[in-house]
Amino acid sequence: MEKARRTLLGFSTEEQFDKERYHSPSLDYCPVYTWMWNAPVTQEQTDKQLDEMLRLGIRRFYILPMPKSFRPTSFPTPLEPSYLSEGYLDAYRYAIEQAKKRGMQVWLYDEGGWPSGSACGQVMLQDPSLSQETIRVTEREASKGEVYSPESDTEAAFFEGQRIHSGYTFPKTGLLAEYRRVRTSFPKISSADLPDVTKEGACDLFIKLTHEKYKTRFADLKASGFTALFTDEPTAPRPFPYTDEIKTLFKQQFGEEIENYLPVLMGKAKTNERSAEIKIKFFDMLSRLFCERFLDKERAWAKQNGIAFLGHLDKDDEANGSVTGGSFSLLRALRRFDVPGVDAIRRQIFPKCGKAGLCDNKFFPRYASSAAAQTDGRHALTESFAVYGCGLTYDEMRFVINFQAMRGINVFNFMIFPYGRTGYLQAGLLPHFTQNTHPDLSAFNLYAARLSYLFSLGERVANTALYAPFADGVIGEGFDKTAEAYEKAGKTLEQNHILFDVVDDDFLQQAEEDSLSFGVLAMGKAAYTTLVIPPCLYLAEESVKRIRAFVKGGGKVATTSPKIAKRIGVPVTKDLSSLPSPLPSHGGESISYAESTLKNGRIRFLMNEGIAPCMLSLPTAGTLPYLLFPASDKVYRPTEEKGFFSFTLYPGELVALLETDDVFDAETHALPQKRLTLDRFLFRHTHKLVIKEQTERLPLQEEVSEIVLPSPRPLFPKDFSGSGEYQTTFSLPEKASRALIDLGMAIGSAEVILNGKTLGVKVMPPYRFELPLAYLKESNELTVRLTNTPANEFEHTDLWAKYRPWQLGNYRKEEGVFHADSFAGGLYDKVNIYYE
């Protein structure tokens, strides 16, 4: 049965490709920037920065307040007025009102700092009973004959594997393990204590202190320009919450005292069949409390106010993130969002890792897109770039978002646009995207908007499900081996271009009953005809029953585990790479694949995830597809030769193959055959980025020097950040009907100016610019402006010596390592003009 399309304010989907929408994507597809309020806020500065955003192509944002009390000893911020004070709320209202006047769109970030849930400590100040409680283990040697007398905070004590109680006389000397209940704060580097969001009333108070305070300034959030509520890494106490209520609930639901199993829960005793079952039930109960008492209440508030609920959880890049990230069931929690998300920080996704070559990028963005599909949604988000450092190039940025888009992400949140930009504030949570540091940012933002548009079209295809063995993570023992098999299975599926989502036991047990008899696992928009189960220790009996019904209906199960195959009643799959691929042979090992169906056709996406250019050759099936490269607004047609069409993808580059009956004006993608090579230029540096008490982009009056490309010396030295110009003249040997310039190997953002008229900006390869025939003369003046990253200046300024390490933030050392990879910039090869 066809489902009605669900629409959310600020999150568009369309049934078919529209060339005008692609050329200029609407506001709903634009990336959302994190506006970090980390300094005194004034109306004058707010207006100035909103105008700066528009110049940089930033049309959507949310305000991330960074209160003084957030991390005063590792991330000091002089935010004024004080967070959630009347003055702060007035300043916030002014910013939102001015944004609306400028036609911008905003989200409401629900916290001061992160993780969400504490109102930067104010929840705990109002109600200390909501504090986090968990278990810590203390061990000591008990002496023979000693009579045991526990402290008041002791929940249970064990001697040689047996539980003991007060008055117990130790028969011999041995190790005593005491399991004590402690009140804890997280993170330790913050003075803002977190409440336990699994406690009844914690989220209610959080909403009262934050969301409802914002509503005193915005009676109607929707009318004020808000489209979403963003929650950031909410978490239960770790390793798990432990309260009198939780003990009682567990006893009521399962008839057991959880105290008896504390050694197993804390990893101090081996797990047997019974304790494994208890462990799974315990964490299942905790995950439900987390979802019902925090996420569901946040979503209900958002719905009541006419906006979407979105965000991401902690440790979402780890196979065992369900346990380590404080949600206890990652996919269950993500399915609570209107727009589920992940974050890509600290180079969790990156094109290359030093001399080792390719990074081991994992498929974790699929958690968000899978959860979206399974709840009838079409959107999944990423929060990207935090702690990537200011040496992050646009080419690397493209790789990060393309990699996630290929795995179902289509809403992009980029960090950071900073409010405070003086002194030590310039060092915190890089990169900082500003006019001085990233003057060509608007070109990348347009690229991201086109990417979002393309990946929001139609319906994303995923007909295979990969089972995530989260229960093995709860049990703990042997999980490293399980995780390795699980990650390997996902990587094998991706290498063979199998279109898949990730599922858990909840999904298997709640999939539509009727669909099983047709061999389909269905829920929401998701419909899978193949289920891949990697080797794992635990698979719930109820899940097995449903899988058997799925197989009986004609569904396919692939598993390399003889034990699981026997249990379900299917043959063992010797190699997952034997599963049929939807993509024909193409000549590229580093190519990833995704697909969406349209009302009148489909889009197939190909990305080069390798570190070298890749020439692809695909068979022509019927009519030739249109080629869409999001860096360009043009629609291309490839050239067919002997039943194949070919094109090259640069590292990190992505193409959309549009197959449709619609007809569009298209240009040829083939390069003209004739070539003019330019290698002699006059060069000079034109602007220098200087980081002192504030960052400035200063013009330079530098003499030109004659150079021949490729130059034997670096024209952008390691201590220089800024721009340089390459100037030359040329004449085409004959009159041309078409011409373009290719800058070849370049690093940085590039602007080409022909006879005094700009041809635009390219911020990543291929650096090709069409040369308008109307601009060409008999003798032509050519200027190429290259701008590199701020990393060079950041690592060579003497400013940081004025401050103590804690003032520069706890990410400074890590980002410095990243910066060392990013000192290059400029043209590195000859420039070619192709014409015909």
PDB file of all heavy atoms in Angstrom, residues 74 145 192 241 312-313 344 347 383 487 563:
ATOM      1  N   SER A  74      38.403  24.576  30.902  1.00  0.00           N
ATOM      2  CA  SER A  74      38.923  23.956  29.670  1.00  0.00           C
ATOM      3  C   SER A  74      38.333  24.578  28.415  1.00  0.00           C
ATOM      4  O   SER A  74      38.794  24.282  27.317  1.00  0.00           O
ATOM      5  CB  SER A  74      38.641  22.452  29.667  1.00  0.00           C
ATOM      6  OG  SER A  74      37.251  22.205  29.638  1.00  0.00           O
ATOM      7  N   GLY A 145      38.547 -13.799  59.657  1.00  0.00           N
ATOM      8  CA  GLY A 145      37.969 -13.487  60.962  1.00  0.00           C
ATOM      9  C   GLY A 145      37.330 -12.115  61.056  1.00  0.00           C
ATOM     10  O   GLY A 145      36.613 -11.822  62.026  1.00  0.00           O
ATOM     11  N   ALA A 192      28.974  22.346  35.304  1.00  0.00           N
ATOM     12  CA  ALA A 192      27.523  22.264  35.160  1.00  0.00           C
ATOM     13  C   ALA A 192      27.091  20.807  35.288  1.00  0.00           C
ATOM     14  O   ALA A 192      27.168  20.037  34.339  1.00  0.00           O
ATOM     15  CB  ALA A 192      27.099  22.831  33.811  1.00  0.00           C
ATOM     16  N   PRO A 241      22.345   4.224  34.903  1.00  0.00           N
ATOM     17  CA  PRO A 241      21.712   4.825  36.081  1.00  0.00           C
ATOM     18  C   PRO A 241      21.330   3.741  37.083  1.00  0.00           C
ATOM     19  O   PRO A 241      20.974   2.622  36.700  1.00  0.00           O
ATOM     20  CB  PRO A 241      20.482   5.519  35.504  1.00  0.00           C
ATOM     21  CG  PRO A 241      20.169   4.750  34.259  1.00  0.00           C
ATOM     22  CD  PRO A 241      21.475   4.278  33.714  1.00  0.00           C
ATOM     23  N   HIS A 312      21.134  14.373  17.666  1.00  0.00           N
ATOM     24  CA  HIS A 312      21.929  13.150  17.589  1.00  0.00           C
ATOM     25  C   HIS A 312      22.364  12.744  18.989  1.00  0.00           C
ATOM     26  O   HIS A 312      22.262  13.508  19.953  1.00  0.00           O
ATOM     27  CB  HIS A 312      23.139  13.334  16.672  1.00  0.00           C
ATOM     28  CG  HIS A 312      24.227  14.187  17.268  1.00  0.00           C
ATOM     29  ND1 HIS A 312      25.309  13.651  17.926  1.00  0.00           N
ATOM     30  CD2 HIS A 312      24.390  15.528  17.319  1.00  0.00           C
ATOM     31  CE1 HIS A 312      26.100  14.617  18.350  1.00  0.00           C
ATOM     32  NE2 HIS A 312      25.558  15.770  17.994  1.00  0.00           N
ATOM     33  N   LEU A 313      22.875  11.514  19.089  1.00  0.00           N
ATOM     34  CA  LEU A 313      23.278  10.931  20.360  1.00  0.00           C
ATOM     35  C   LEU A 313      24.801  10.795  20.409  1.00  0.00           C
ATOM     36  O   LEU A 313      25.490  10.962  19.401  1.00  0.00           O
ATOM     37  CB  LEU A 313      22.602   9.575  20.551  1.00  0.00           C
ATOM     38  CG  LEU A 313      21.069   9.634  20.465  1.00  0.00           C
ATOM     39  CD1 LEU A 313      20.484   8.249  20.305  1.00  0.00           C
ATOM     40  CD2 LEU A 313      20.488  10.324  21.696  1.00  0.00           C
ATOM     41  N   ALA A 344      29.861  13.993  12.854  1.00  0.00           N
ATOM     42  CA  ALA A 344      31.166  13.628  12.305  1.00  0.00           C
ATOM     43  C   ALA A 344      32.150  14.670  12.805  1.00  0.00           C
ATOM     44  O   ALA A 344      32.245  15.773  12.258  1.00  0.00           O
ATOM     45  CB  ALA A 344      31.127  13.587  10.779  1.00  0.00           C
ATOM     46  N   ARG A 347      37.645  14.163  12.779  1.00  0.00           N
ATOM     47  CA  ARG A 347      38.045  13.342  11.634  1.00  0.00           C
ATOM     48  C   ARG A 347      37.503  11.909  11.725  1.00  0.00           C
ATOM     49  O   ARG A 347      38.163  10.963  11.283  1.00  0.00           O
ATOM     50  CB  ARG A 347      39.564  13.311  11.478  1.00  0.00           C
ATOM     51  CG  ARG A 347      40.167  14.618  10.977  1.00  0.00           C
ATOM     52  CD  ARG A 347      41.626  14.427  10.574  1.00  0.00           C
ATOM     53  NE  ARG A 347      42.191  15.645  10.012  1.00  0.00           N
ATOM     54  CZ  ARG A 347      43.450  15.736   9.563  1.00  0.00           C
ATOM     55  NH1 ARG A 347      44.233  14.680   9.627  1.00  0.00           N
ATOM     56  NH2 ARG A 347      43.900  16.868   9.052  1.00  0.00           N
ATOM     57  N   GLU A 383      25.813  16.556  12.043  1.00  0.00           N
ATOM     58  CA  GLU A 383      26.525  17.698  12.612  1.00  0.00           C
ATOM     59  C   GLU A 383      28.000  17.448  12.314  1.00  0.00           C
ATOM     60  O   GLU A 383      28.587  16.505  12.834  1.00  0.00           O
ATOM     61  CB  GLU A 383      26.279  17.769  14.124  1.00  0.00           C
ATOM     62  CG  GLU A 383      27.108  18.809  14.849  1.00  0.00           C
ATOM     63  CD  GLU A 383      27.212  18.509  16.334  1.00  0.00           C
ATOM     64  OE1 GLU A 383      26.207  18.657  17.039  1.00  0.00           O
ATOM     65  OE2 GLU A 383      28.302  18.100  16.779  1.00  0.00           O
ATOM     66  N   GLU A 487      31.246  -4.914  11.442  1.00  0.00           N
ATOM     67  CA  GLU A 487      31.816  -3.857  10.607  1.00  0.00           C
ATOM     68  C   GLU A 487      32.297  -4.417   9.269  1.00  0.00           C
ATOM     69  O   GLU A 487      32.140  -3.777   8.223  1.00  0.00           O
ATOM     70  CB  GLU A 487      32.986  -3.178  11.344  1.00  0.00           C
ATOM     71  CG  GLU A 487      32.597  -2.443  12.621  1.00  0.00           C
ATOM     72  CD  GLU A 487      31.900  -1.132  12.357  1.00  0.00           C
ATOM     73  OE1 GLU A 487      31.703  -0.767  11.177  1.00  0.00           O
ATOM     74  OE2 GLU A 487      31.531  -0.448  13.328  1.00  0.00           O
ATOM     75  N   LYS A 563      25.990 -21.515  12.989  1.00  0.00           N
ATOM     76  CA  LYS A 563      25.095 -21.607  14.147  1.00  0.00           C
ATOM     77  C   LYS A 563      23.795 -20.850  13.896  1.00  0.00           C
ATOM     78  O   LYS A 563      22.695 -21.353  14.149  1.00  0.00           O
ATOM     79  CB  LYS A 563      25.797 -21.066  15.391  1.00  0.00           C
ATOM     80  CG  LYS A 563      24.970 -21.139  16.662  1.00  0.00           C
ATOM     81  CD  LYS A 563      25.764 -20.588  17.835  1.00  0.00           C
ATOM     82  CE  LYS A 563      24.919 -20.585  19.102  1.00  0.00           C
ATOM     83  NZ  LYS A 563      25.669 -20.016  20.264  1.00  0.00           N
TER      84      LYS A 563
END
